[in-house]
Amino acid sequence: MTEGNFVDYVKVHLESGNGGKGSVHLHREKFITKGGPDGGDGGRGGHVIVRGNKNLWTLLGFKFTRTFRAGHGEHGSKNRSSGADGQDVYLEVPLGTVIKDAETLEVLMEITEDQEEKILLEGGMGGRGNWHFRTATNQTPRYAQPGKSGQELDLIMELKVLADVGLVGFPNAGKSTLLSVLTSAQPKIADYEFTTLKPNLGIVEYRDFKSFVIADIPGIIEGAAEGKGLGHYFLRHIERNSTLLFLIPADSKDISKEYEILLDELRRYNPELLDKDRLIAISKTDMLDEELIAEMRIELDKDFKDVPYMFISSVAQIGLVELKDRLWAMLNK
């Protein structure tokens, strides 16, 4: 999937169908001069229904069509015939979609299961025909109910990527390279910042035909939670990851400080993100010799007392097997 096809935020306008009118009709037949009322009911207006689809990975289907209208119910007719219900409209969304009211920003629902269906807007009820209003004192009612009008609503749909592990790091930390080595994903890789403009997902194959999903979240910079850079657009995806893998390059000026900045951005965006399991991977260690790594371990042991860390190199394939073992253990503890 190309970056241009990854859509994780859309606004849509929805309209459910109007209910059909009840019929005002008096039965007329040869030899039956006063057949009485036999007007049928109007049909229900169509619902607007959202449905989860595990085969979808993006909200691309809503990029060009932003208005969805359900069908109107048909009017009732003679012989107590009810009108047909309006056609329902189904909105197929990927798993992990959060639906909000565009005006109040209230979260209305989340879709997390395949084929899960929820009604966003109910269609208007059909009106009852005059057959329902006959009484002993009013045997020929000449009135019926009108159908109820449908509803309108503006919604925001946000996709939060469902992945087991989320890669967190500054631009050029090597996240895309690691993803390309661990999985079959082919993210764009270059030497300039913000190469990755959209989240990339890949499936990591583990031992005994087991696997887990890892997501490369676009680069976060200091101030991302306040809207700087691109990271603030994608922090929502981290909420769905059960484990966070912090990737910090070995040539960073201050590894501990860089980790604290990343941690602080997550804290400002959503403090609950700090409750997730964390693992720090020092990347690009193929540039270091054993003596330098030993010196770095002494400092890192002081700074990272409560968080496990390890040295890896995506290019030189150093520590990747151990990395998968660690992640699998954290996901299945």
Side-chain angles (χ1 to χ4, degrees):
M1 180 181 297
T2 63
E3 289 181 351
N5 287 342
F6 185 89
V7 179
D8 60 352
Y9 182 96
V10 293
K11 290 183 179 180
V12 295
H13 178 75
L14 308 178
E15 297 180 11
S16 61
N18 299 330
K21 294 189 298 185
S23 173
V24 178
H25 189 270
L26 300 176
H27 184 72
R28 292 292 181 265
E29 190 177 343
K30 191 176 182 180
F31 306 122
I32 301 178
T33 56
K34 295 181 179 181
D38 70 344
D41 301 339
R44 167 186 65 79
H47 297 324
V48 180
I49 303 171
V50 63
R51 179 163 57 197
N53 188 334
K54 66 179 181 181
N55 297 317
L56 297 178
W57 292 90
T58 172
L59 295 170
L60 179 64
F62 304 96
K63 184 176 182 180
F64 305 105
T65 304
R66 299 294 179 93
T67 301
F68 298 88
R69 296 183 177 93
H72 299 312
E74 295 186 3
H75 304 320
S77 59
K78 61 183 180 180
N79 296 328
R80 285 185 258 172
S81 296
S82 298
D85 291 341
Q87 186 173 5
D88 296 331
V89 169
Y90 287 86
L91 307 182
E92 301 267 351
V93 300
L95 306 188
T97 299
V98 178
I99 299 175
K100 301 179 180 179
D101 186 309
E103 185 175 346
T104 64
L105 299 182
E106 176 190 1
V107 176
L108 303 179
M109 60 188 68
E110 298 183 26
I111 303 298
T112 57
E113 297 180 9
D114 185 42
Q115 299 303 307
E116 176 183 4
E117 293 185 3
K118 293 184 178 180
I119 297 177
L120 291 170
L121 287 181
E122 291 188 352
M125 290 180 58
R128 294 193 295 176
N130 67 339
W131 182 78
H132 290 280
F133 301 105
R134 70 197 190 287
T135 65
T137 58
N138 184 14
Q139 297 183 3
T140 56
R142 287 176 168 81
Y143 54 85
Q145 287 181 328
K148 288 190 175 181
S149 299
Q151 302 171 297
E152 294 187 28
L153 185 63
D154 291 317
L155 292 181
I156 292 174
M157 293 187 182
E158 290 184 355
L159 173 61
K160 296 182 180 180
V161 169
L162 293 172
D164 300 305
V165 180
L167 285 172
V168 182
F170 285 122
N172 279 15
K175 301 188 301 299
S176 296
T177 303
L178 177 62
L179 186 71
S180 67
V181 172
L182 290 180
T183 74
S184 298
Q186 297 179 336
K188 185 192 297 182
I189 300 172
D191 291 332
Y192 53 87
E193 292 191 349
F194 302 120
T195 307
T196 305
L197 301 178
K198 302 291 181 182
N200 291 300
L201 276 78
I203 299 176
V204 179
E205 295 182 357
Y206 193 62
R207 297 185 175 94
D208 301 324
F209 304 103
K210 298 173 184 176
S211 63
F212 57 91
V213 179
I214 190 168
D216 168 20
I217 309 300
I220 299 171
I221 64 171
E222 190 170 5
E226 284 76 38
K228 293 183 180 179
L230 299 174
H232 66 287
Y233 286 113
F234 311 110
L235 283 169
R236 75 173 76 98
H237 297 296
I238 299 175
E239 293 179 317
R240 295 293 192 193
N241 309 143
S242 58
T243 298
L244 300 180
L245 175 60
F246 289 80
L247 209 61
I248 303 175
D251 57 355
S252 173
K253 293 181 180 179
D254 191 329
I255 293 177
S256 300
K257 182 179 179 181
E258 194 164 310
Y259 170 70
E260 289 299 327
I261 292 173
L262 292 170
L263 210 59
D264 188 54
E265 293 305 322
L266 300 186
R267 183 185 298 110
R268 292 184 183 184
Y269 178 75
N270 184 353
E272 294 181 2
L273 295 177
L274 303 189
D275 296 332
K276 297 180 180 294
D277 292 332
R278 286 172 262 160
L279 174 63
I280 301 172
I282 312 300
S283 65
K284 305 180 182 180
T285 54
D286 53 295
M287 301 182 297
L288 310 177
D289 56 27
E290 293 185 4
E291 183 178 350
L292 187 54
I293 291 177
E295 293 179 3
M296 292 177 66
R297 285 187 185 277
I298 296 175
E299 295 297 324
L300 295 176
D301 285 340
K302 298 178 183 177
D303 298 330
F304 300 142
K305 295 181 180 179
D306 301 323
V307 183
Y309 72 89
M310 58 185 301
F311 291 89
I312 67 167
S313 172
S314 303
V315 176
Q317 305 276 312
I318 298 174
L320 299 186
V321 174
E322 182 185 358
L323 175 63
K324 289 195 285 186
D325 289 340
R326 285 272 190 99
L327 291 174
W328 182 260
M330 294 172 72
L331 293 171
N332 295 275
K333 65 181 181 180

